[in-house]
Amino acid sequence: MRNILLLLIIPAAILLTTSFRPTVGGKKEAYRNYYVGTFYFQEGQLGSAVRSFRRAYAAVPDEYNFALALALALGRDGQVDQALSVLQEGAIYLGPNDPDHLKKIALRHFVSGMAHCYSENYDQAISSLKSAISLLESMKEPKLLSIVYNTLGYAALLDQGNNAHKSKDRPEHIHIHRRDMERNLDHFAAALQQDGSNEAARYNYEMLCDSLDITPVDYPRTAAAGSGDLANYGNIPANIYTLLDFTPYDEVVFLLDISGSMVMEKVTCVDEDRFRVMKETAMYMFQKIPEEKALGIGTIGGDCGTVPRLWHPVGALSRKDFRYALDFLVPDGTTPLLNILMDSPDLFSDNPETSKSIFLVSDGANICKIGNTDICEWADNLANRQISINILTFLNADLSNTNAFAEYTCLAQNTFGELIYIDANRCNARPFAFNLVEQCPLFLPKLEKLNCLGPAVKNLWGVYK
């Protein structure tokens, strides 16, 4: 989910498989294309998704998330060889200095497995998916691991070699024996153990249990560790703490959007304005951060050049005063995001040994310009100062918010942070960078009990090609 650096090299695989012009407009334009591509991918418009991802990858080839997205779209579009070429070429930028180095390698294996699944090369998919799982087992990535386990179960069950069969009364189908179903039931169970909200894994697991006449285990649909203390925070997503965790950082600066739009728009599912939900979320995260962490706070409001209402370096406020500052936030003006962001590193200490994070909560794109500054290129410098930007936004992930999400995505990925958005209709917080992976739920086709091999073979099912 995170970024390396810009190289002015375009991988040969892209040159050979695509006719294009390099993207004009800098890094931010590349992220715009990446965001638009994710939207088209989710809508099933694969041609448009491939074109957008190609533009992003051509402009910034060392951003491996672009390579992963392009390869996944190519694979789903039936261009498997091109997908694998992109994964291989892009891997030269997977440097060990990237904190997400191993995770990106795991994602490379996963996307390779998905491309093989799309082309029904299940035996090759299985090898890639097992490699992804072996890496993810050592990481705290339960949602991602759940998706990979489900994909492995899908591929392994349908990996029946060349046993396609056609009879006079049935179209072409493959045979699946009971032992294969029993063996792969464990993969879907493992997926649900990691994430009970994985609906594809639940469907596959329960369908196999039903076919085998086995009582399914009732895996809980939610396992939101740390959410048991939400009784006093009824207007925020229950899963917020599982997605945003600031305990790894020594210093945290809250950068809160107090622009007027925050009170003009509502979070539909709780019938409260964004400003109220933002305050509750900030208060909840404040309560979860250990006492020994140094906290600072700044506000985004007013206009370009306006002095922020709150601007306190880390350690300047006591915990009591910090809570008081959150309690008495009031709306003010517009969203001069870039101006405030460029000054926000000053709120941290000069200690080069401490890890630092900005917690940015906003609902709008930057409205101010500072010369020719590209907000994405500016963010590259923060990683060298051990400053990550973790973002929570109230904006919907759709094409109308392309500009804002382009900025948010590059700010988070270039600084090894997270981008979370709130689904206002479902009161659910979702990690934006995982959208492509979450768009890979594989549901098993319907299984039918058959007796094609005669009455002596009783434990035989079929899947139609």
Side-chain angles (χ1 to χ4, degrees):
M1 290 170 40
R2 302 167 184 179
N3 185 52
I4 315 173
L5 295 171
L6 177 62
L7 297 176
L8 300 179
I9 301 172
I10 299 175
I14 303 297
L15 289 170
L16 291 174
T17 60
T18 316
S19 60
F20 62 91
R21 295 178 182 272
T23 304
V24 178
K27 244 184 173 179
K28 179 179 173 181
E29 185 64 22
Y31 279 92
R32 284 178 58 87
N33 280 302
Y34 174 64
Y35 175 75
V36 170
T38 63
F39 177 82
Y40 283 132
F41 185 90
Q42 293 171 26
E43 295 296 311
Q45 300 182 43
L46 299 180
S48 297
V50 167
R51 286 190 292 273
S52 295
F53 288 142
R54 274 180 169 150
R55 294 187 189 105
Y57 185 36
V60 190
D62 67 324
E63 173 51 81
Y64 200 60
N65 290 297
F66 295 171
L68 291 169
L70 175 57
L72 186 62
L74 286 167
R76 187 173 168 187
D77 198 36
Q79 305 178 59
V80 179
D81 290 340
Q82 292 187 30
L84 299 178
S85 294
V86 169
L87 290 174
Q88 182 177 358
E89 292 289 338
I92 65 173
Y93 302 114
L94 287 177
N97 294 330
D98 184 344
D100 268 352
H101 174 67
L102 291 179
K103 181 178 177 181
K104 288 177 179 175
I105 294 176
L107 286 171
R108 177 190 176 188
H109 290 305
F110 171 70
V111 171
S112 176
M114 284 298 304
H116 286 305
C117 281
Y118 289 136
S119 63
E120 299 184 8
N121 295 320
Y122 298 119
D123 57 334
Q124 297 179 61
I126 291 169
S127 176
S128 295
L129 294 168
K130 285 183 176 179
S131 296
I133 287 173
S134 66
L135 289 170
L136 291 170
E137 289 282 8
S138 62
M139 306 177 198
K140 294 181 179 179
E141 296 286 350
K143 292 181 73 68
L144 179 54
L145 188 55
S146 175
I147 293 169
V148 182
Y149 265 122
N150 179 68
T151 309
L152 176 61
Y154 177 96
L157 189 66
L158 297 182
D159 181 32
Q160 300 302 321
N162 298 315
N163 76 353
H165 176 76
K166 186 175 182 181
S167 60
K168 61 181 180 180
D169 60 338
R170 295 186 186 280
E172 187 176 17
H173 57 277
I174 60 173
H175 290 152
I176 298 177
H177 195 274
R178 181 184 181 93
R179 61 177 175 270
D180 296 312
M181 296 165 67
E182 291 175 337
R183 184 184 304 121
N184 289 292
L185 189 64
D186 291 341
H187 293 315
F188 300 120
L192 290 173
Q193 288 169 354
Q194 293 293 327
D195 179 18
S197 66
N198 187 334
E199 293 303 325
R202 185 172 296 275
Y203 172 86
N204 296 335
Y205 173 74
E206 292 180 351
M207 185 177 71
L208 288 188
C209 286
D210 183 63
S211 299
L212 296 169
D213 198 24
I214 295 174
T215 302
V217 176
D218 185 19
Y219 293 103
R221 292 183 180 272
T222 57
S227 66
D229 53 353
L230 283 168
N232 297 322
Y233 301 90
N235 295 320
I236 70 175
N239 64 333
I240 188 68
Y241 188 62
T242 65
L243 299 177
L244 283 173
D245 179 12
F246 294 99
T247 54
Y249 302 103
D250 302 306
E251 302 177 19
V252 180
V253 167
F254 284 54
L255 204 57
L256 307 178
D257 184 348
I258 60 171
S259 61
S261 62
M262 293 285 281
V263 293
M264 295 171 62
E265 299 285 344
K266 284 195 171 185
V267 178
T268 311
C269 60
V270 293
D271 196 33
E272 291 286 355
D273 61 60
R274 292 172 176 173
F275 193 82
R276 168 112 182 230
V277 176
M278 179 272 291
K279 286 181 63 174
E280 278 197 27
T281 302
M283 186 67 74
Y284 176 68
M285 299 306 296
F286 161 69
Q287 299 278 65
K288 299 296 293 185
I289 297 175
E291 292 277 347
E292 65 271 16
K293 307 295 183 179
L295 302 181
I297 189 170
T299 53
I300 302 171
D303 208 336
C304 303
T306 301
V307 176
R309 292 228 172 181
L310 289 178
W311 199 254
H312 300 288
V314 293
L317 296 179
S318 66
R319 284 271 170 159
K320 180 179 179 181
D321 289 339
F322 196 99
R323 182 184 183 115
Y324 182 87
L326 290 178
D327 271 335
F328 289 93
L329 283 174
V330 294
D332 177 38
T334 57
T335 313
L337 179 60
L338 182 57
N339 303 51
I340 303 299
L341 266 177
M342 291 188 71
D343 291 337
S344 61
D346 296 339
L347 295 176
F348 292 104
S349 74
D350 294 329
N351 187 347
E353 303 300 321
T354 59
S355 59
K356 306 171 178 69
S357 173
I358 294 170
F359 176 33
L360 169 63
V361 184
S362 181
D363 75 339
N366 174 53
I367 61 154
C368 302
K369 292 185 177 181
I370 300 180
N372 294 320
T373 300
D374 183 314
I375 194 169
C376 299
E377 294 175 0
W378 170 82
D380 279 341
N381 299 319
L382 290 187
N384 298 328
R385 301 172 62 179
Q386 296 196 64
I387 299 175
S388 294
I389 301 178
N390 291 280
I391 302 170
L392 179 67
T393 180
F394 291 90
L395 293 178
N396 294 323
D398 56 38
L399 287 182
S400 65
N401 293 316
T402 296
N403 192 54
F405 269 90
E407 293 178 347
Y408 293 153
T409 303
C410 71
L411 287 171
Q413 291 188 0
N414 286 10
T415 62
F416 311 119
E418 308 283 349
L419 169 57
I420 309 297
Y421 71 97
I422 293 179
D423 184 332
N425 294 317
R426 298 179 178 86
C427 284
N428 186 33
R430 299 172 62 84
F432 176 72
F434 285 154
N435 274 8
L436 287 177
V437 177
E438 290 184 352
Q439 290 298 316
C440 299
L442 295 180
F443 293 83
L444 287 171
K446 182 179 179 181
L447 299 173
E448 183 177 338
K449 193 75 177 286
L450 300 175
N451 60 356
C452 298
L453 303 183
V457 183
K458 298 181 179 180
N459 294 311
L460 193 68
W461 282 258
V463 172
Y464 292 101
K465 295 278 283 184

